Amino acid sequence: MIWQLDLIILLMVVICGISAISIRDLLGSAIMFGAYSFMMCLLWSIMGAVDVSFTEASVGAGVSTVFFVAAVFRTTRRTRD
Amino acid sequence: MEAITTLIIAKYNYWAVILLIVIGLYAMIAKKNLVKKIIGMNIFQTAIILFYVSIGAKRGATLPIIVHAHGDAAHAIHAADYINPLPHVLMLTAIVVSVATLGVALALAMKIYFHYGTLEEDEIQKKIMDREPDKVATSGEHL
Amino acid sequence: MKRLGLIAIMVFGGLLFSISFELPDLGDARSPASTHVSPYYIEQAIHDTSVPNVVTAILADYRGYDTLFETAVIFSAGLACFFLLRITDRKAPKARFYRHLATGLTLRVEKGGRLPEDTKEFERIDSAWVPSDVIINMTCRLVVPFIQLFALYVIAHGHHSPGGGFQGGVIFGAAIILYAISNNLRRTLRRTSERTSALLGSGGVIIYLGTGLLCILLGAGFLNYSSLSLVPGLDPVSARSYGILIVEIGVGIAVTAVMVWIYYNLASAGKLDEGL
């Protein structure tokens, strides 16, 4: 565990998380959430939790982004906040 | 100065967890869009998972896969050499359940959208208030 | 409301921050979480189950009940999506669109009328149809079999490397979802129908449960795989290893089917007619 690298990725995670909830477009929000999940998976693989990060890479960055995009496609991209 | 650096190195992950929990909770409380709320819920979940993984971390240890397990097998296994695997197991199942709950949550949001024509919480509340009370009670039938 | 929420969250975050100093240091090998239960798992897993990946051994053997009900939760989530979204009354859509394959001519058939489904000259298309990109189509067609093969490898090799039923199942489901996105939902449904995915989802859970019940029949506790050693040529330790493999396959099947099932319902808004 290298704490400098860890801190940089943690910063990226927080930036991705904040932008995922503040973008005024739900499709962009979904994509930023995918980026957030992928950064989180990098962080966990640095911390040695390989099984968890493998699961997060396939579930969080893969399938849940697809679910979000499908739901946004079927409903609306509009959001007021 | 030295003490502060040591403190930061020892605790920074917990602070990141707290920051992410706060972000997720803020999205769940203050954002009015239902999909934004669901994203906030997922950020909250990953923050909890990060907390568990940080608890399991061990300095100077390797991955929880036993090395040379099927070799001569004459070597002893020391628990201090391997990262704590128990939080990983708990969180692995939690991630897969989180995607299942995400599917259910999005299905509910879609159902609400088809019924009310919007995903904004305040607009939905306004539409409920505008209808007569007896209509609200039976509106579930003709979805 | 917004300001009130912000204040409440600030207070909550401050409380959490103040107790963060009481938590054990990051990476401390003498923290309570690392000294009580987990040393037993690390030191004994290889002798008990002959599985080098401790996470897999704990997931499918020591905490087998946990994983069994986790799989049941995932299956019931798929079921919940089905009951929430699926529209079963077969009202004909306003208009169907057909495309003549030879000339690229598009037909709009008004409500009620339809072309025979088995016609070779016309293909039914979505209302938001755009000409498919050859590059995307071809790349996905080439990549999908390799993703599926990798998923099978991840399930089968979970004993020795990171992986297992959950990850492999999700990757296999993602391959099918990729096919559905790059082609269309109707073609995917002809290959993996809704009925198939529902049956496979319950079948995976039943494989897991059946392994546990088989262990009872062979004279040990529920999910105690060592009783599988009654099969000739197996000692109790390797019987546990094979029991874990069977259970992981069941989990993989269930997760694959449920991911695909949820995607079908979400992407077509429950009509299973026009997809993403």
Side-chain angles (χ1 to χ4, degrees):
Chain A
M1 219 164 68
I2 310 157
W3 67 272
Q4 291 91 341
L5 196 61
D6 226 13
L7 270 182
I8 293 170
I9 292 178
L10 269 178
L11 193 69
M12 306 258 285
V13 163
V14 172
I15 291 170
C16 287
I18 290 174
S19 60
I21 64 165
S22 56
I23 292 180
R24 281 165 195 268
D25 174 13
L26 286 183
L27 197 61
S29 239
I31 301 300
M32 279 321 287
F33 180 72
Y36 168 86
S37 291
F38 191 73
M39 288 297 153
M40 210 57 158
C41 129
L42 277 184
L43 184 65
W44 290 333
S45 64
I46 288 177
M47 294 175 77
V50 274
D51 276 278
V52 183
S53 76
F54 196 175
T55 317
E56 179 72 10
S58 55
V59 169
V63 174
S64 23
T65 312
V66 172
F67 284 177
F68 269 119
V69 171
V72 170
F73 179 78
R74 279 289 156 207
T75 57
T76 174
R77 280 172 73 165
R78 188 180 72 95
T79 172
R80 286 196 293 134
D81 51 8
Chain B
M1 193 62 211
E2 193 76 0
I4 292 173
T5 318
T6 327
L7 186 70
I8 288 174
I9 292 175
K11 308 284 183 203
Y12 65 92
N13 250 22
Y14 300 125
W15 298 339
V17 168
I18 293 166
L19 196 55
L20 289 174
I21 284 179
V22 166
I23 290 170
L25 211 55
Y26 175 75
M28 281 167 81
I29 292 175
K31 296 284 173 185
K32 294 224 160 53
N33 191 291
L34 293 177
V35 176
K36 283 278 176 71
K37 277 178 191 283
I38 295 170
I39 289 177
M41 187 181 81
N42 267 284
I43 291 176
F44 195 104
Q45 275 173 338
T46 37
I48 301 292
I49 296 167
L50 178 59
F51 176 65
Y52 269 75
V53 172
S54 333
I55 281 183
K58 237 182 249 181
R59 208 167 287 282
T62 184
L63 310 177
I65 297 172
I66 309 293
V67 286
H68 306 303
H70 292 304
D72 299 331
H75 64 291
I77 298 163
H78 299 294
D81 294 341
Y82 297 97
I83 295 171
N84 188 354
L86 199 52
H88 298 185
V89 176
L90 303 177
M91 290 308 109
L92 201 149
T93 46
I95 290 175
V96 183
V97 168
S98 87
V99 75
T101 54
L102 170 72
V104 177
L106 287 175
L108 281 171
M110 278 169 87
K111 205 75 194 171
I112 289 170
Y113 179 79
F114 294 145
H115 199 177
Y116 294 105
T118 176
L119 282 174
E120 307 286 329
E121 199 187 19
D122 45 350
E123 289 171 15
I124 293 168
Q125 253 166 1
K126 212 162 132 268
K127 286 199 178 173
I128 293 175
M129 288 300 174
D130 286 348
R131 295 183 183 183
E132 286 87 6
D134 59 319
K135 243 185 177 177
V136 175
T138 56
S139 63
E141 287 171 13
H142 47 81
L143 274 177
Chain C
M1 184 64 200
K2 218 163 201 171
R3 190 161 302 155
L4 200 66
L6 203 61
I7 293 169
I9 282 161
M10 284 302 166
V11 172
F12 179 66
L15 281 176
L16 285 181
F17 184 76
S18 65
I19 62 157
S20 75
F21 297 99
E22 308 290 324
L23 289 167
D25 286 357
L26 192 61
D28 186 8
R30 296 185 309 277
S31 68
S34 305
T35 45
H36 283 303
V37 192
S38 70
Y40 175 83
Y41 289 141
I42 294 171
E43 281 159 13
Q44 299 299 320
I46 188 77
H47 304 301
D48 286 349
T49 64
S50 133
V51 175
N53 188 353
V54 186
V55 174
T56 304
I58 300 175
L59 183 82
D61 195 339
Y62 294 111
R63 297 186 64 88
Y65 277 67
D66 191 3
T67 315
L68 169 63
F69 289 110
E70 213 84 62
T71 319
V73 164
I74 291 163
F75 177 65
S76 44
L79 217 56
C81 268
F82 174 77
F83 284 129
L84 278 172
L85 282 176
R86 190 81 171 91
I87 299 164
T88 42
D89 61 336
R90 298 200 170 277
K91 232 184 284 172
K94 265 188 193 143
R96 291 168 197 265
F97 295 88
Y98 292 90
R99 183 168 168 269
H100 191 230
L101 288 175
T103 58
L105 188 80
T106 305
L107 283 184
R108 179 190 158 100
V109 180
E110 279 297 324
K111 187 171 183 176
R114 62 194 302 174
L115 295 180
E117 285 287 340
D118 56 341
T119 176
K120 287 276 183 288
E121 308 203 334
F122 286 92
E123 181 196 30
R124 185 155 172 234
I125 56 175
D126 295 351
S127 53
W129 185 81
V130 284
S132 61
D133 194 337
V134 178
I135 296 174
I136 293 176
N137 242 335
M138 208 57 210
T139 313
C140 292
R141 182 177 293 178
L142 284 177
V143 157
V144 162
F146 290 102
I147 297 178
Q148 290 179 340
L149 196 63
F150 179 63
L152 295 180
Y153 162 77
V154 167
I155 294 179
H157 211 256
H159 286 46
H160 298 270
S161 66
F166 285 111
Q167 293 94 323
V170 172
I171 293 172
F172 205 97
I176 297 175
I177 291 174
L178 178 66
Y179 184 80
I181 289 176
S182 65
N183 281 278
N184 59 41
L185 192 66
R186 230 168 285 113
R187 197 173 293 166
T188 317
L189 275 171
R190 274 204 293 276
R191 301 196 173 197
T192 320
S193 69
E194 186 188 24
R195 183 189 298 266
T196 314
S197 59
L199 282 177
L200 280 179
S202 53
V205 182
I206 286 170
I207 288 176
Y208 203 142
L209 256 178
T211 316
L213 292 178
L214 186 68
C215 293
I216 292 185
L217 285 183
L218 293 176
F222 187 64
L223 288 174
N224 185 356
Y225 312 124
S226 60
S227 61
L228 296 177
S229 62
L230 289 179
V231 179
L234 283 184
D235 56 291
V237 175
S238 55
R240 278 178 181 277
S241 179
Y242 285 112
I244 290 173
L245 182 64
I246 296 169
V247 162
E248 294 267 18
I249 290 171
V251 171
I253 291 173
V255 171
T256 306
V258 170
M259 290 298 142
V260 173
W261 199 13
I262 293 179
Y263 172 77
Y264 284 165
N265 279 316
L266 279 182
S268 65
K271 295 195 198 70
L272 295 201
D273 192 27
E274 295 184 350
L276 204 60

